[in-house]
């Protein structure tokens, strides 16, 4: 039987390997994206058993939702779950700020429905916290949408532990999405809170935007959003590549990729039941699905823990 996991306390059940789609129409993040290739990545993901697609208003902006929606229309709606996010405001000056005001979130949600061409969204996230709206009030807006049947599960993203606790005052939060990967394990503290409160923890940048897929040599350079990211700065990057290469032996033992060793390690963490690796090519999606079949031994887990300690 195909494995399915529940999102928080909601009725939404998904295949544990999902697809991150910020490289599907995310032209503001990656300069050379081919939209047809992006749509094909989504199609292949669904055809190979992935059910949850992770997008957001700001990827593109707008374009990722539009392209994901076009592909979703090719399938029975129930076969696929859509997660999207809102909170960004793009001002006329081009500046971007966050707004968690309940009315703004509801308007953002309605705009997402239109771009996705659907009449409900399975998982709707507040993408980033703002600095003025009480978090339980922001979540209450999503609870209203849930009561109306317009969303099935409530998520928050990029919230600190205190913000998550405030957001979850009434116990309505189903999913927290945060940066988490072997290079940055700080959010394990939040994972513990999530586990105690029946909240699913979804890690973003699970492959550290490609580093943890084990395919770069230390001289690789980048011309997209990665060029300015901390993990890609030359000295750190070299050390990251060296440590990732140490996972080759474990991957060979399991006859799989380094990416799948990393993803399977995550799926053993408390509350972390779903991963959303991104992909730019169809082969990557198909390969990553196999992570669900990898079972690491305790020795292998210890080795990974040793190579990528939590305080990193
Ligand atoms: P990621 O999942 O860490 O890395 C994805 C990249 O790794 C791919 O684009 C590809 O890059 C490479 N890759 C993936 N599978 C591979 C394989 N099998 N073999 C070799 N390379 C492989 O990074 P991400 O896509 O930026 O993040 C995942 C998702 O998280 C996003 O799509 C988005 O949905 C979500 N996200 C959310 C937030 C938030 O604020 N909530 C922030 C960021 C991202 P190359 O082919 O270019 O090397």
């Amino acid at each position: 039987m195909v494995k399915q996991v529940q999102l928080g306390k909601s009725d939404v059940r998904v295949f544990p390997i999902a697809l991150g789609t910020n490289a599907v129409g995310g032209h503001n993040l990656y300069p050379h994206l081919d939209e047809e290739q992006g749509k094909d990545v989504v199609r292949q993901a669904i055809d190979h058993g992935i059910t949850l697609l992770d997008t957001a208003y700001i990827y593109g902006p707008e374009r990722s939702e539009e392209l994901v929606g076009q592909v979703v229309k090719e399938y029975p709606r129930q076969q696929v779950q859509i997660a999207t996010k809102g909170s960004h405001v793009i001002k006329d000056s081009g500046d971007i700020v966050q707004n968690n005001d309940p009315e703004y979130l509801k308007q953002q949600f309605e705009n997402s429905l239109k771009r996705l061409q659907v009449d409900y969204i399975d998982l709707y996230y507040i993408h980033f916290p703002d600095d003025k709206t009480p978090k339980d009030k922001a979540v209450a807006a999503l609870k209203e949408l849930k009561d109306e049947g317009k969303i099935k599960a409530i998520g928050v993203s990029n919230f600190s532990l205190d913000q998550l606790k405030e957001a979850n005052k009434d116990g309505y939060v189903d999913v927290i999405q945060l940066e988490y990967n072997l290079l940055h394990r700080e959010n394990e503290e939040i994972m513990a809170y999530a586990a105690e409160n029946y909240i699913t923890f979804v890690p973003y940048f699970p492959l550290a935007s490609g580093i943890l897929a084990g395919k770069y040599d230390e001289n690789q350079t980048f011309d997209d959003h990665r060029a300015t990211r901390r993990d890609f700065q030359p000295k750190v990057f070299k050390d990251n590549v060296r440590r990732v290469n140490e996972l080759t032996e474990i991957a060979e033992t399991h006859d799989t990729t380094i990416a799948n060793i990393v993803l399977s390690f995550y799926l053993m963490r408390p509350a972390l039941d779903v991963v959303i690796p991104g992909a730019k090519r169809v082969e990557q999606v198909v390969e990553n699905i196999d992570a669900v079949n990898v079972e690491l031994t305790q020795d292998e887990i210890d080795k990974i823990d040793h190579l990528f300690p939590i305080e990193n």
Side-chain angles (χ1 to χ4, degrees):
M1 214 177 91
V2 179
K3 194 173 174 196
Q4 291 213 315
V5 291
Q6 183 179 358
L7 296 183
K9 301 153 288 283
S10 76
D11 296 329
V12 182
R13 285 180 170 68
V14 305
F15 185 66
I17 313 295
L19 177 69
T21 66
N22 69 5
V24 177
H27 300 290
N28 51 350
L29 298 168
Y30 298 98
H32 313 295
L33 292 177
D34 177 329
E35 294 195 345
E36 282 311 310
Q37 189 172 328
K39 284 171 74 173
D40 224 29
V41 162
V42 179
R43 236 175 245 125
Q44 291 292 328
I46 301 171
D47 289 345
H48 284 84
I50 282 179
T51 66
L52 178 65
L53 308 171
D54 187 273
T55 183
Y57 153 66
I58 201 67
Y59 305 159
E62 304 191 356
R63 195 63 185 147
S64 176
E65 288 186 327
E66 287 171 357
L67 297 177
V68 167
Q70 288 170 20
V71 178
V72 166
K73 268 189 103 167
E74 299 169 11
Y75 296 83
R77 179 67 182 86
Q78 269 75 21
Q79 189 180 333
V80 179
Q81 293 96 29
I82 302 170
T84 193
K85 322 181 189 77
S87 72
H88 292 77
V89 182
I90 305 176
K91 295 181 152 187
D92 292 341
S93 62
D95 289 351
I96 295 179
V97 295
Q98 303 300 326
N99 188 351
N100 296 171
D101 176 77
E103 287 316 309
Y104 182 72
L105 290 176
K106 285 186 192 169
Q107 186 53 55
Q108 281 274 79
F109 164 79
E110 293 295 336
N111 295 343
S112 288
L113 279 185
K114 288 196 190 94
R115 285 189 289 271
L116 286 157
Q117 302 185 63
V118 293
D119 56 10
Y120 70 90
I121 286 170
D122 301 86
L123 168 59
Y124 192 79
Y125 289 98
I126 302 170
H127 200 158
F128 276 84
D130 69 8
D131 47 21
K132 62 176 200 300
T133 313
K135 298 302 150 224
D136 54 330
K137 298 279 180 298
V139 165
L142 303 194
K143 176 67 166 64
E144 281 177 34
L145 295 175
K146 193 175 176 189
D147 290 342
E148 291 167 26
K150 291 179 167 179
I151 66 175
K152 309 283 180 197
I154 294 174
V156 296
S157 181
N158 298 298
F159 278 33
S160 67
L161 181 55
D162 284 345
Q163 288 167 331
L164 174 60
K165 286 180 178 169
E166 189 186 341
N168 196 42
K169 237 184 223 169
D170 302 304
Y172 296 149
V173 177
D174 294 301
V175 182
I176 170 92
Q177 185 176 132
L178 293 172
E179 180 171 2
Y180 174 77
N181 59 48
L182 286 181
L183 307 180
H184 299 289
R185 297 179 60 180
E186 303 87 332
N187 282 326
E188 290 201 8
E189 188 195 3
I190 299 186
M191 212 179 268
Y193 172 84
E196 280 161 22
N197 290 277
Y198 308 100
I199 295 171
T200 301
F201 184 107
V202 173
Y204 74 71
F205 294 149
L207 297 175
S209 301
I211 296 178
L212 291 166
K215 59 180 176 174
Y216 299 136
D217 80 31
E218 57 179 37
N219 301 314
Q220 176 88 31
T221 54
F222 300 87
D223 66 352
D224 50 38
H225 74 97
R226 295 178 284 194
T228 53
R229 295 245 312 274
R230 54 185 169 169
D231 299 326
F232 291 83
Q233 301 316 302
K235 205 160 151 250
V236 180
F237 183 69
K238 278 193 172 74
D239 183 56
N240 287 338
V241 169
R242 179 191 61 74
R243 288 187 294 156
V244 172
N245 285 339
E246 302 249 349
L247 299 176
T248 306
E249 195 184 322
I250 302 179
E252 284 174 0
T253 307
H254 289 269
D255 194 18
T256 192
T257 60
I258 289 178
N260 284 346
I261 296 301
V262 172
L263 296 173
S264 69
F265 177 86
Y266 300 152
L267 289 171
M268 299 180 75
R269 306 279 101 191
L272 200 165
D273 296 330
V274 180
V275 289
I276 53 167
K280 298 195 190 71
R281 295 199 315 276
V282 164
E283 312 83 79
Q284 295 172 340
V285 186
V286 178
E287 263 176 35
N288 295 346
I289 289 175
D290 207 35
V292 81
N293 299 316
V294 177
E295 282 185 39
L296 297 173
T297 65
Q298 191 56 50
D299 277 357
E300 290 167 341
I301 293 168
D302 292 346
K303 182 174 176 188
I304 296 170
D305 269 330
H306 182 71
L307 274 169
F308 300 95
I310 292 176
E311 59 274 14
N312 231 309

